Amino acid sequence: MGTNLLGKSFLKLLDFTPQEIRYLLDLSIELKKQKMSGVVNKKFVGKNIAVIFEKDSTRTRCSFEVAAMDLGMGVTYLGPNGSQMGKKESIKDTARVLGRMYDGIEYRGFSQKIVEELAKYAGVPVWNGLTDEFHPTQMIADLLTIEENFGKLEGLNFVYCGDARNNLGNSLMVACAKMGINFTAAAPKELFPSQELVDTCIEIAKENNSTISLVENIMSATKNADVIYTDVWVSMGEKYEVWESRIKQLTPYRVTKEIMENANENAIFMHCLPSFHDIETSIGKEMFEKFGITEMEVTDEVFESKQSVVFDEAENRMHTIKAIMAATLGI
């Protein structure tokens, strides 16, 4: 029997089987080939989606909007001040209103409970563009990027460096466990993922012949790595005062040339972006003025190297989000 995701919301990868994730990857590959060869696929003309952004994002917004328009859909953007959700109107009521007008809803914001409640009451598919706990749309793009570089997923060694208890660390651990990739978090012990999620992922990984490891020493963690992944040291929405303590805490986990040389010869570097690898941003300049650093989670040398696939990864957000929407709306 074929995989059928019609009407299903995309809230976290824990809700999906490896076979369903495989289906989304295969559909992403197909839709990417169509896009690259100039094939027009306007299957969803007449449908409309709403994209709710309580946290702004370049890649997530552009990916959803371009993917929807490629498929023939209309898009309404609701920014941080674009709706009364949670202010003058409850999430439950907002979901029921938007579900009457739109065929699908994307949410990018704060608590996972918000996107779960939207999905409960909207009556249409809801897609999680990022919450404080999970970032599932990024995961499909990351898995596709890894597979494009290695021709497989199963058995690869994946290392995430930095704050491993954030939405990205959580999601990557789940994604690797589901798809048979050996996952290692290289982080200070106090920034390990929650033990509850770790235990869940260990059980999932066992089913898919892979492992979950939490390691404090970055050199031992990255030995024989196929993929090295990092993220910004202060997550969106955290207080500005966190910067100083986080820089001290995570500087030993910066991805450098030495770290990449410690990995396998054909290892790739990944980052969901944006990245503070130079001082060509206002925050980068401010961090240089305050702390004297020109690079944070990754050096510019690594970011701009041939091993870096960050822009392939960014592009794949569009193709994989297109697949997620198409699958849940009825390709």
Side-chain angles (χ1 to χ4, degrees), residues 168-178 183 193 197-198 201 212 214:
L168 199 59
N170 290 342
S171 298
L172 288 166
M173 183 168 60
V174 173
C176 288
K178 290 277 186 177
F183 175 87
L197 183 60
V198 170
C201 288
I212 303 294
L214 307 178

Side-chain angles (χ1 to χ4, degrees), residues 137-148:
T137 56
Q138 180 70 50
M139 294 306 99
I140 305 302
D142 290 344
L143 291 170
L144 177 60
T145 306
I146 294 168
E147 188 167 86
E148 286 176 337

Side-chain angles (χ1 to χ4, degrees), residues 42-311:
K42 299 285 186 181
K43 179 178 176 63
F44 296 99
V45 169
K47 291 188 180 294
N48 297 282
I49 66 167
V51 292
I52 304 171
F53 281 77
E54 293 190 314
K55 288 184 179 180
D56 287 327
S57 167
T58 301
R59 278 149 297 281
T60 302
R61 178 177 176 179
C62 293
S63 295
F64 269 100
E65 291 192 352
V66 173
M69 289 185 285
D70 276 359
L71 292 171
M73 292 188 280
V75 185
T76 299
Y77 168 76
L78 298 172
N81 298 312
S83 78
Q84 296 298 331
M85 187 178 75
K87 303 167 191 173
K88 294 182 178 179
E89 186 169 50
S90 69
I91 296 162
K92 176 180 177 180
D93 289 355
T94 300
R96 290 184 290 183
V97 169
L98 295 180
R100 297 289 186 99
M101 299 180 181
Y102 294 95
D103 300 284
I105 301 166
E106 180 270 353
Y107 172 81
R108 178 184 174 93
F110 298 95
S111 171
Q112 180 74 13
K113 291 180 181 178
I114 295 176
V115 76
E116 299 276 355
E117 190 167 6
L118 283 171
K120 181 178 180 180
Y121 292 103
V124 297
V126 172
W127 309 296
N128 180 1
L130 175 143
T131 65
D132 291 343
E133 294 180 49
F134 295 107
H135 196 358
T137 56
Q138 180 70 50
M139 294 306 99
I140 305 302
D142 290 344
L143 291 170
L144 177 60
T145 306
I146 294 168
E147 188 167 86
E148 286 176 337
N149 280 272
F150 294 99
K152 65 174 185 175
L153 294 174
E154 296 82 0
L156 294 175
N157 298 320
F158 183 106
V159 180
Y160 177 77
C161 304
D163 184 353
R165 48 158 203 180
N166 64 12
N167 49 28
L168 199 59
N170 290 342
S171 298
L172 288 166
M173 183 168 60
V174 173
C176 288
K178 290 277 186 177
M179 302 311 289
I181 301 170
N182 301 314
F183 175 87
T184 299
K189 191 171 184 179
E190 60 271 24
L191 297 183
F192 283 173
S194 73
Q195 192 59 50
E196 181 181 5
L197 183 60
V198 170
D199 291 342
T200 297
C201 288
I202 287 173
E203 292 306 310
I204 295 171
K206 285 178 182 177
E207 295 174 2
N208 299 299
N209 300 313
S210 60
T211 59
I212 303 294
S213 302
L214 307 178
V215 180
E216 291 186 81
N217 185 292
I218 190 170
M219 294 304 288
S220 62
T222 53
K223 188 69 176 175
N224 298 321
D226 297 301
V227 181
I228 294 181
Y229 198 122
T230 192
D231 189 21
V232 293
W233 288 344
V234 177
S235 298
M236 189 181 299
E238 288 191 275
K239 292 182 179 180
Y240 187 76
E241 293 75 19
V242 173
W243 278 109
E244 184 173 8
S245 62
R246 203 61 63 78
I247 287 170
K248 290 179 181 178
Q249 191 176 34
L250 290 176
T251 293
Y253 296 91
R254 175 183 291 141
V255 179
T256 64
K257 179 182 178 182
E258 290 70 31
I259 295 300
M260 296 304 298
E261 289 175 344
N262 190 48
N264 285 334
E265 185 178 357
N266 63 341
I268 60 174
F269 169 74
M270 300 180 70
H271 192 305
C272 67
L273 304 181
S275 169
F276 297 118
H277 59 96
D278 54 30
I279 57 172
E280 295 182 18
T281 63
S282 59
I283 292 178
K285 288 176 183 176
E286 191 168 353
M287 293 303 103
F288 172 68
E289 291 167 1
K290 285 193 171 188
F291 307 110
I293 58 172
T294 58
E295 303 157 316
M296 282 191 263
E297 71 277 5
V298 59
T299 63
D300 192 59
E301 182 179 27
V302 171
F303 187 89
E304 298 291 355
S305 71
K306 291 182 179 180
Q307 289 175 288
S308 175
V309 296
V310 297
F311 297 109

Side-chain angles (χ1 to χ4, degrees), residues 13-27:
L13 285 196
L14 287 170
D15 300 333
F16 289 76
T17 66
Q19 292 73 27
E20 289 172 330
I21 295 170
R22 180 71 259 167
Y23 169 73
L24 290 173
L25 288 169
D26 289 342
L27 182 55

